[in-house]
Amino acid sequence: MHALPSYFLSHGGGPWPFMMDQVGHLYGQLDAALRDIPRQLGVTPKAVLVITAHWEERDFTLSSSARPTMIYDYGGFPPHTYEVRYNAPGSPELAAQVQLLLEAGGHPARLDAQRGFDHGTFSALYPIYPDAQVPIVQLSLKRGLDPLTHLEVGRLLAPLREQGVLIVGSGLSYHNLRAFNAQGAAASHAFDGWLRATMALPPRERTARLLEWEQAPAARMAHPREEHLLPLMVALGAAENEPAAVPYHEDAFMGSLAVSSFRFGRAAVA
């Protein structure tokens, strides 16, 4: 098996894949982009490791249950969205392997057998693997949200790609909930344009610019708090010297926002 690419996925809002009858006109492009990922990979991964924007711990922490529960970490949605199930298995073996990789690299890591799937995981993965057949392990962010720390962790995870593990950073390239409408259009376009231009740079320059992301145009308007951007650092670190592609970009997400997803490493099928 060739090394799988890694992805940073803009995962959309709340439980949107389970509300397509109501919101499909807003999420059609994202849904199509996520559903295309199995074709890009050309193989079914042995497992998926999701670095989720919706989980922060003092030390990096991994979900280690064989049968994860669900976490409905959103509010104001229809009643049925608090009953949805994404019944993918966990992988205690992969969780333990990742813990060893991180600790060998100098980053303390813990296992959490109680942690369920949050919507950063199940909303991103349901369109990709609707049959929930691929085991999933979640990896938390580390409090403090230091970009270099998360990049270093991505570097430590790189060998998993050779073993058939798909590494996914799940966040959003624009995440300012106080301006998640036309009010945020200019900032989202400025920041997203900078992100896409950065991805086209040679690897060393690309990494250096991303580590200094706060210098980007409208950076703090796009990310008042950077938890939805940090999964990008992990996905990049896992395939740091490989080319980037933009498998999803939308200029009018939610009517007016610019958002993107990124792939690092070559797809089996372009």
Side-chain angles (χ1 to χ4, degrees):
M1 176 183 287
H2 72 284
L4 295 178
S6 64
Y7 285 81
F8 170 74
L9 300 179
S10 285
H11 63 225
W16 67 266
F18 303 91
M19 301 171 54
M20 288 299 282
D21 287 347
Q22 295 95 343
V23 302
H25 63 292
L26 297 175
Y27 282 96
Q29 290 186 54
L30 177 56
D31 185 58
L34 292 172
R35 290 183 184 278
D36 190 56
I37 288 176
R39 183 193 66 83
Q40 296 171 31
L41 296 176
V43 296
T44 300
K46 181 177 74 174
V48 183
L49 178 65
V50 179
I51 301 89
T52 170
H54 290 270
W55 188 17
E56 298 174 39
E57 295 286 351
R58 182 191 64 198
D59 295 317
F60 288 104
T61 306
L62 294 131
S63 61
S64 59
S65 171
R67 290 289 169 188
T69 56
M70 299 286 285
I71 299 175
Y72 305 113
D73 53 341
Y74 41 76
F77 289 91
H80 79 271
T81 64
Y82 299 90
E83 300 174 3
V84 298
R85 300 289 304 174
Y86 187 65
N87 289 319
S91 176
E93 299 80 12
L94 177 59
Q97 181 186 2
V98 174
Q99 181 186 33
L100 289 175
L101 283 173
L102 298 192
E103 293 190 332
H107 292 279
R110 298 187 300 109
L111 302 178
D112 184 343
Q114 306 305 314
R115 180 73 185 187
F117 293 145
D118 60 58
H119 84 264
T121 297
F122 65 76
S123 288
L125 270 292
Y126 175 76
I128 303 173
Y129 297 115
D131 295 331
Q133 78 274 31
V134 181
I136 297 171
V137 170
Q138 294 174 127
L139 173 62
S140 77
L141 301 175
K142 182 175 180 177
R143 287 179 194 157
L145 304 179
D146 176 60
L148 180 58
T149 297
H150 289 80
L151 180 79
E152 290 173 346
V153 161
R155 291 168 176 163
L156 296 172
L157 298 176
L160 297 174
R161 298 172 49 226
E162 301 275 359
Q163 301 170 25
V165 176
L166 178 63
I167 297 171
V168 170
S170 179
L172 265 175
S173 62
Y174 173 84
H175 194 256
N176 183 342
L177 296 182
R178 294 188 175 184
F180 212 69
N181 48 32
Q183 184 182 350
S188 75
H189 282 259
F191 186 74
D192 197 80
W194 176 89
L195 264 184
R196 286 183 286 123
T198 298
M199 294 306 167
L201 296 172
R204 184 173 296 181
E205 190 176 350
R206 179 178 67 189
T207 293
R209 289 229 314 182
L210 283 173
L211 289 175
E212 299 295 330
W213 72 271
E214 287 182 89
Q215 306 305 314
R220 279 299 178 187
M221 261 299 284
H223 292 280
R225 191 174 184 276
E226 56 266 42
E227 82 285 345
H228 273 70
L229 184 66
L230 266 290
L232 171 61
M233 306 299 173
V234 184
L236 171 71
E240 190 173 8
N241 295 315
E242 299 187 43
V246 186
Y248 164 70
H249 169 72
E250 195 167 346
D251 275 324
F253 179 67
M254 302 301 287
S256 56
L257 302 174
V259 294
S260 296
S261 296
F262 302 102
R263 183 182 70 234
F264 303 99
R266 300 191 184 280
V269 181

